[in-house]
Amino acid sequence: MPETLTVDKYGMQAALKALGLKEINEGTSTGSNNFGGGETISSYSPTDGALIGKVTTTTKEDYEKVMHAATSAFLEFRKMPAPQRGEIVRQFGNKLRELKEPLGKLVSYEMGKSLQEGYGEVQEMIDICDFAVGLSRQLNGQTIPSERPGHVMREQWHSIGVVGIISAFNFPVAVWAWNTALAWICGDVCVWKGSEKAPICSVACQNIIAEILKENNLPEGISCIINGDYKVGEMMTTDERIPLVSATGSTRMGRIVGATVAQRFGKSLLELGGNNAIIITPTADLKVVVPGAVFGAVGTAGQRCTSTRRLIIHESVYDKVKDAIVGAYGQLTIGNPLDEKNHIGPLIDTDAVSLYLAAIEKAKAEGGNVLVDGGVLEGEGYESGCYVKPAIIEAENHFEIVQSETFAPILYLMKYSGDVENAIATQNGVAQGLSSAIMTNEMKEAEKFLSFAGSDCGIANVNIGTSGAEIGGAFGGEKETGGGRESGSDAWKVYMRRQTNTVNYSDELPLAQGIKFDL
């Protein structure tokens, strides 16, 4: 694996410079507000194996400095009126507009997703900033009728404090923005542990917001980053000074985080694994089915929590749909994600490749029939060892490998017969409950899928795929997906604490429920 990028093929030097980072060959320092004095993490691009840069991990002593900065900043920031906090977020969003190209390019290069998806991820950051700015004038409570004369009851919301954020490599910047944009307008401050597999992205984001805070004469502790593996994350999950931990990652990780935070009576917002299916009914339109299923399965090389893992196809159209999907796979191009002609980039690292290969072998051993062969690509352009071929396997829903989430482009095809209720039962027949979809032109089928007896997922779509959520809707899932909700709708409430107020403006003190207590 090469250790430095000797030729700047993709304009990455200019991109890093625009983001306040050193050149690739020099490594990358973390910039302001890092306090990292531990071991070094080297970030290599799965695109070509080159060293992007290095960051230092956060020690316990460093962490205490970060928490001192954050808790002190909160005492000041919470006093700022919410619309003024929204103005800070507006400036941050505008700065992201200016830096969309270099930041999107860095996301693509460090994580391996296509350049279009890298730009799209930054656009999500911009969108959530726009959403949060408007929301900063709508953090509404309510007035509640009191049963006592001369009394009024109100409900209001207050800032919660320090929000700890743990994000995953597959969306190295957007998920952080989903949390921070809302937390900031709510008056909270944030401490972020980005993925150790994409640490340069978190440094770039910190540089951007640090500049905004400095320009507005605000404490940098409003936004802090820490670096490292799960041991650094444990510093947050066990810290009673952090009332809310928002964690994105595997179900295994979520079990640990959820239990640890609950033990100290903190709150956790968990966005965990997905095992998402598309039901394809006899009336489905192939012009909608094929792009929805293919992008859902191979977008981000199958490394989205909303990636399509299963196609549940009615037996009457099974062969037609199968042939169309297999034919579409033959048109996919795999290669450098910074080349917009390519549909699919690499997996994040060689460990992910090993899991991908093991999953294919497991599916075969359980009786799966391979329709499109997988495998690792070799040769010119694939030197990093992280490029793999998307695979399609006919399988049964009860297979152990189908029941688990593999973060790779493996799509399982299975048949259903009879009514759509049978397909819904199959769709729900996994432990995860994030995203789901049905392809149908039959209104009754669509409504059954969306009913209380339909999909048990947090996201249920009709005639679109399982991935590609919009900012305006709350994002999250049920069962082993964790139950958290981020982004739109009323997801802001998790970043605040609710308070009920009762005001007596009479000259008497009547008690609730008509209780008499005469002195």
Side-chain angles (χ1 to χ4, degrees), residues 88-98 125-126 129-130:
I88 303 304
V89 175
R90 186 192 68 81
Q91 293 177 31
F92 179 56
N94 285 344
K95 182 61 70 172
L96 289 172
R97 286 179 168 87
E98 295 176 18
M125 301 174 76
I126 295 168
C129 286
D130 288 350

Side-chain angles (χ1 to χ4, degrees), residues 30-31 33-37 56-59 62-63 65-66 69 220 225:
T30 56
N33 204 358
N34 171 52
F35 304 114
T56 51
T57 58
T58 302
T59 66
D62 301 328
Y63 177 77
K65 293 178 183 178
V66 168
E220 64 176 1
I225 60 172

Side-chain angles (χ1 to χ4, degrees), residues 194-494:
S195 171
E196 63 270 29
K197 295 184 179 184
I200 310 302
C201 283
S202 60
V203 174
C205 291
Q206 177 62 26
N207 285 349
I208 296 170
I209 186 58
E211 180 181 344
I212 299 295
L213 295 175
K214 184 177 181 180
E215 290 174 353
N216 287 271
N217 197 30
L218 289 170
E220 64 176 1
I222 290 169
S223 178
C224 303
I225 60 172
I226 55 178
N227 301 311
D229 59 14
Y230 72 94
K231 295 177 183 177
V232 175
E234 286 177 350
M235 296 179 192
M236 286 199 294
T237 59
T238 58
D239 193 338
E240 293 186 356
R241 293 168 294 182
I242 299 180
L244 170 66
V245 175
S246 174
T248 302
S250 68
T251 296
R252 181 192 61 80
M253 179 274 287
R255 291 187 195 280
I256 298 170
V257 171
T260 303
V261 175
Q263 190 171 24
R264 59 177 177 81
F265 297 104
K267 295 198 299 181
S268 58
L269 192 168
L270 301 176
E271 297 288 0
L272 310 176
N275 195 347
N276 316 296
I278 299 177
I279 296 171
I280 302 172
T281 71
T283 64
D285 185 344
L286 278 183
K287 296 193 299 296
V288 176
V289 168
V290 173
V294 173
F295 174 74
V298 307
T300 322
Q303 297 173 113
R304 291 180 173 222
C305 52
T306 55
S307 290
T308 305
R309 310 288 177 199
R310 299 173 291 149
L311 293 188
I312 305 167
I313 309 168
H314 194 270
E315 60 183 359
S316 66
V317 293
Y318 182 83
D319 289 337
K320 181 171 67 172
V321 172
K322 177 182 70 174
D323 291 345
I325 298 293
V326 170
Y329 268 50
Q331 302 174 47
L332 295 173
T333 57
I334 308 168
N336 181 346
L338 293 165
D339 184 343
E340 295 191 46
K341 294 182 300 209
N342 292 323
H343 301 104
I344 307 168
L347 293 178
I348 185 64
D349 54 26
T350 53
D351 289 341
V353 173
S354 297
L355 292 173
Y356 154 84
L357 293 173
I360 292 175
E361 293 306 310
K362 174 72 171 174
K364 290 179 182 177
E366 292 192 69
N369 176 41
V370 177
L371 298 176
V372 175
D373 283 324
V376 181
L377 293 169
E378 299 177 345
E380 185 177 357
Y382 304 125
E383 291 86 355
S384 69
C386 298
Y387 291 87
V388 302
K389 294 183 286 186
I392 301 178
I393 303 174
E394 291 180 306
E396 298 293 335
N397 202 57
H398 62 80
F399 286 2
E400 184 178 359
I401 192 61
V402 176
Q403 288 286 312
S404 62
E405 179 188 41
T406 302
F407 239 43
I410 302 173
L411 180 64
Y412 300 110
L413 269 58
M414 54 197 72
K415 293 180 184 178
Y416 81 93
S417 58
D419 295 334
V420 74
E421 286 91 342
N422 295 329
I424 294 172
T426 300
Q427 127 76 39
N428 292 343
V430 293
Q432 308 83 2
L434 179 53
S435 187
S436 58
I438 188 170
M439 300 290 185
T440 181
N441 283 326
E442 171 60 56
M443 183 186 71
K444 290 182 179 180
E445 290 180 329
E447 291 298 335
K448 287 180 180 179
F449 179 73
L450 299 175
S451 74
F452 66 90
S455 170
D456 63 3
C457 295
I459 299 169
N461 299 328
V462 177
N463 291 331
I464 64 171
T466 59
S467 60
E470 293 186 32
I471 288 301
F475 179 89
E478 302 299 325
K479 301 190 294 187
E480 289 191 359
T481 301
R485 291 297 185 275
E486 293 174 319
S487 192
S489 186
D490 64 349
W492 61 272
K493 292 180 178 180
V494 76

